[in-house]
Amino acid sequence: PHVYDLSEMLTPGEHSISIRVDNANLPPVGPCHAVDERTQTNWNGIIGRIELQARAPIWIDNFQATPNVEQRRFEVRLTLRNRSSWQGDGEVTVSAESAEVPTVHFTPLVSVQSIQGSETHCSLQFDIPEKFPCWDEFQPALLRLSVKLECRSDTEVHVDEQSMMTGCRSFRTEKSQFSINGQRTFLRGRHDACIFPLTGYPPMDKKGWIRVFQIGKSYGLNHHRFHSWC
């Protein structure tokens, strides 16, 4: 996705935003599968959602979570942005909700020291309850991880929240073979070169991709390899 921060440009009042799409071969990268007729050809235009988002002046700009199956925990990493004059300590809460277990699990509050300047990085550990199942090919158990940031002073309150769907699993090599959560597995997949002749572009919604993956699953496939595109 293309994301542009317009905070310093959008003063109060009416504005016009223009977008120009230029698919010229600049810089010259050919021959390259990403821009010629061997795969998705050279696109021109915009697909997917176009929107303006209003965010709190202190917000979660990046949220990543890496699972550790052996220790049953996630390492949560956050990048916080600050466009206000506010400085001080913030509080972060992480919660997890399992589709298979109808409960929500919360971490204790974690203090983020010294949110100063325009960018702050922090990390914390989130323990996964034993009753939450891990993900594998035959039981794709998912977790919704949510993180909440609160910054409070006597005169200001800034709150931002982000969430993601993820799963707790390890994927490793064991000599010449692969394993998921310590169980030997075999990758049965397809090469996906973004060829959608009926539309000329890939699905841009959840329903369209569920259809694509269900077709692969009906043939016994368990992964897609995206070639020259994401």
Side-chain angles (χ1 to χ4, degrees):
H2 288 247
V3 180
Y4 302 95
D5 187 350
L6 305 178
S7 302
E8 296 179 356
M9 305 173 191
L10 294 183
T11 55
E14 186 174 320
H15 295 263
S16 295
I17 299 176
S18 301
I19 302 175
R20 183 177 68 177
V21 179
D22 183 356
N23 69 348
N25 196 18
L26 296 172
V29 295
C32 174
H33 283 204
V35 294
D36 67 21
E37 63 277 3
R38 285 176 288 181
T39 51
Q40 67 263 39
T41 74
N42 197 354
W43 295 349
N44 188 28
I46 298 174
I47 57 174
R49 190 172 67 246
I50 303 174
E51 64 186 14
L52 285 170
Q53 294 182 347
R55 304 293 296 273
I58 303 176
W59 74 98
I60 302 165
D61 188 60
N62 192 282
F63 170 27
Q64 298 186 29
T66 303
N68 185 318
V69 171
E70 290 75 17
Q71 298 180 8
R72 291 194 62 82
R73 65 175 44 171
F74 277 92
E75 180 185 355
V76 177
R77 297 183 300 279
L78 303 174
T79 300
L80 311 179
R81 301 283 184 181
N82 183 6
R83 281 197 169 274
S84 72
S85 59
W86 190 93
Q87 295 185 11
D89 297 343
E91 290 185 331
V92 173
T93 306
V94 181
S95 62
E97 184 176 5
S98 168
E100 286 73 23
V101 181
T103 58
V104 180
H105 180 68
F106 290 89
T107 63
L109 285 176
V110 177
S111 177
V112 180
Q113 303 294 324
S114 299
I115 299 177
Q116 299 182 15
S118 61
E119 183 174 301
T120 301
H121 298 273
C122 64
S123 62
L124 56 102
Q125 304 291 332
F126 177 79
D127 293 328
I128 305 167
E130 287 294 333
K131 59 186 176 182
F132 284 14
C134 289
W135 184 98
D136 64 37
E137 176 184 350
F138 304 103
Q139 186 186 21
L142 294 176
L143 295 172
R144 179 177 293 279
L145 282 185
S146 301
V147 60
K148 182 178 182 180
L149 169 68
E150 293 191 50
C151 300
R152 298 179 179 272
S153 67
D154 293 338
T155 58
E156 292 182 274
V157 177
H158 299 300
V159 179
D160 192 32
E161 297 184 65
Q162 296 284 330
S163 66
M164 70 164 70
M165 295 297 294
T166 184
C168 183
R169 66 104 179 93
S170 67
F171 182 76
R172 293 194 173 95
T173 57
E174 295 182 4
K175 296 183 178 179
S176 62
Q177 296 176 317
F178 297 115
S179 69
I180 294 179
N181 300 341
Q183 298 293 317
R184 186 172 58 187
T185 189
F186 188 79
L187 292 181
R188 311 174 306 278
R190 62 161 296 210
H191 157 281
D192 191 316
C194 197
I195 297 172
F196 294 89
L198 297 182
T199 60
Y201 57 87
M204 296 302 293
D205 60 356
K206 182 176 179 179
K207 179 180 178 181
W209 278 109
I210 287 177
R211 176 183 176 274
V212 171
F213 291 141
Q214 283 180 338
I215 292 172
K217 187 177 179 180
S218 71
Y219 282 87
L221 305 185
N222 64 5
H223 82 280
H224 279 230
R225 180 174 74 87
F226 292 92
H227 173 60
S228 296
W229 74 294
C230 295

